[in-house]
Amino acid sequence: MYKTKISGVGHYVPDNVVTNEDLSKIMDTNDAWITERTGIKERRFAGPADSPSSMGTKAALVALERAGIDKNEIDFIVFATLSPDYYFPGPGVLVQEQLGIKEVGALDVRNQCSGFVYGLSVADQFIKTGMYKNILLIGSELHSGGLDMTTRGRGVSVIFGDGAGAVVLSRANEGEEGILSTHMHSEGKYAEELALIAPNTARWVPTIMENNDPDDISYYPYMNGNFVFKHAVVRFAEVIQEALVANSKKIEDIDLLIPHQANLRISQFIQKKMALRDDQVYNNIMRYGNTTAASIPIAMSEAWEKGKLKRGDTVCLAAFGSGFTWASALLKF
Ligand code: ACO
């Protein structure tokens, strides 16, 4: 078996900064409520030229450059998102086209906030077995176009932002370390506690239009916020612990925990519960909001730029989200 290392990290966020103050001009909300409940101060909203695939491609090009790997050396693409360019096909194929590379396989991962860690696990298996040498893993989201930006939707829409992150995963050289283990879980009985229900195969667009019900908001994301919070804090802690136990490591062995940026209160709760120091946890939700599958790779790339994520560090990635799904990865960066 080979080992998988992260050879490069990159991210792209749109230029358009939307502050809490900006949101308070279009819905009944305010900076104090958003800051106190979520820690978010601002987020980025995509412009007309941005799409989930184009943002992903931009992040990928940065990751490739930092990895020192030519795009033509990519053997496979994994794209994690809940906001694809099209209902189908998924955005992985669009990245293949936008990069202008040979006809490599492109896999789309639909695991929402856990999508990046699920994608990491999938890519790790392909590299470990020797099937592929270099895999491009992207997490990208364009939420802003699909949120209810009226007061009705404020409990959800103030939380989310747009952006993309990418990593290049490569076969590690002899003696090098990399991904130590990955762990994935799901609990489908809570599928509708955090979901975007329609359109779906039982409730297709013509049905929604035919009923023409102004209160039908099934095509907007729904979140049972309190319920999600309570499950998130339990599952985050569990899955981090699971990764540590699997590798006979302790909390103090973690140099950096990069949690999915769901909500600053969730990250702070986990940090306290697990007795992690401030310098052991990386958060940037204040600046980008919750970017779902993109949040971990954006945070990794930003932490790397700031020198907070260093070669040789023991890093734990952890995520929880819609499904419910949750996942973790422990790695030597
Ligand atoms: N601005 C002002 N007031 C608001 C807003 C807003 N944006 N949104 C809701 N309110 C009001 C509500 O209408 C309600 O008013 P009422 O008391 O008059 O009825 C009041 O604020 C409290 O609403 P709650 O929904 O009970 O607020 P809560 O304290 O639960 O906070 C929140 C909501 C922040 C979503 C919280 O439940 C939470 O943090 N949940 C975790 C879920 C999460 O972070 N998800 C992120 C995405 S999922 C993921 O990535 C895992």
Side-chain angles (χ1 to χ4, degrees):
M1 285 277 207
Y2 295 103
K3 283 202 171 124
T4 309
K5 65 177 179 184
I6 297 184
S7 46
V9 291
H11 73 284
Y12 166 82
V13 288
D15 292 335
N16 182 21
V17 177
V18 177
T19 63
N20 295 343
E21 180 65 28
D22 293 331
L23 292 182
S24 72
K25 290 178 191 145
I26 54 171
M27 65 179 82
D28 182 12
T29 190
N30 55 76
D31 176 56
W33 193 98
I34 301 171
T35 306
E36 188 195 317
R37 302 291 215 290
T38 71
I40 300 165
K41 296 303 262 182
E42 60 188 42
R43 73 285 292 142
R44 304 295 178 97
F45 278 2
D50 291 315
S51 67
S53 62
S54 74
M55 293 193 295
T57 299
K58 284 180 180 163
L61 287 168
V62 176
L64 281 162
E65 197 195 330
R66 289 174 179 169
I69 287 177
D70 187 87
K71 61 184 182 175
N72 293 306
E73 292 177 68
I74 291 295
D75 302 312
F76 195 62
I77 297 165
V78 183
F79 198 118
T81 189
L82 64 70
S83 52
D85 298 49
Y86 311 133
Y87 197 89
F88 73 83
V93 299
L94 302 177
V95 171
Q96 180 272 330
E97 164 66 12
Q98 289 165 21
L99 284 176
I101 56 175
K102 61 181 185 283
E103 296 91 349
V104 299
L107 175 75
D108 297 287
V109 171
R110 291 291 309 273
N111 289 88
Q112 301 69 245
C113 303
S114 308
F116 181 80
V117 184
Y118 266 68
L120 187 79
S121 184
V122 171
D124 183 32
Q125 312 311 314
F126 281 128
I127 290 178
K128 274 205 292 216
T129 55
M131 183 159 173
Y132 295 129
K133 244 177 159 176
N134 295 303
I135 298 182
L136 186 57
L137 168 62
I138 295 170
S140 178
E141 303 285 2
L142 200 163
H143 289 304
S144 58
L147 298 170
D148 181 357
M149 300 302 283
T150 69
T151 296
R152 184 179 63 181
R154 65 184 178 173
V156 173
S157 50
V158 300
I159 294 175
F160 294 96
D162 302 337
V167 298
V168 179
L169 298 160
S170 305
R171 184 189 291 175
N173 298 319
E174 195 72 32
E176 277 182 333
E177 287 192 277
I179 295 175
L180 303 174
S181 67
T182 56
H183 310 269
M184 295 175 283
H185 298 278
S186 71
E187 198 172 26
K189 71 179 165 190
Y190 299 129
E192 294 191 8
E193 301 296 342
L194 177 52
L196 198 158
I197 300 294
N200 62 49
T201 46
R203 239 176 100 63
W204 206 243
V205 177
T207 319
I208 298 170
M209 290 174 74
E210 202 175 277
N211 294 341
N212 197 22
D213 174 1
D215 295 324
D216 181 357
I217 48 167
S218 57
Y219 45 83
Y220 283 128
Y222 165 78
M223 177 174 70
N224 184 348
N226 258 307
F227 192 81
V228 172
F229 193 103
K230 284 180 192 148
H231 283 257
V233 291
V234 172
R235 297 308 193 183
F236 263 112
E238 267 179 23
V239 84
I240 294 166
Q241 203 59 49
E242 185 181 351
L244 291 172
V245 169
N247 295 284
S248 308
K249 300 237 186 260
K250 300 194 194 75
I251 291 280
E252 49 270 33
D253 296 322
I254 297 179
D255 294 308
L256 199 62
L257 168 69
I258 303 186
H260 159 53
Q261 302 291 293
N263 180 321
L264 190 61
R265 301 291 160 255
I266 293 178
S267 294
Q268 287 171 334
F269 196 97
I270 308 301
Q271 180 180 340
K272 200 165 166 212
K273 191 169 171 179
M274 305 200 80
L276 285 151
R277 300 182 312 271
D278 284 351
D279 64 290
Q280 284 177 292
V281 186
Y282 192 80
N283 288 307
N284 62 4
I285 191 170
M286 309 69 102
R287 292 187 298 284
Y288 302 119
N290 179 335
T291 56
T292 313
S295 89
I296 290 178
I298 292 175
M300 286 179 84
S301 171
E302 203 183 67
W304 181 83
E305 285 171 2
K306 291 184 174 185
K308 292 191 174 168
L309 170 62
K310 301 176 292 301
R311 285 289 166 204
D313 279 354
T314 299
V315 180
C316 185
L317 310 177
F320 174 88
S322 164
F324 291 152
T325 58
W326 59 103
S328 66
L330 198 71
L331 56 99
K332 276 269 179 203
F333 186 71

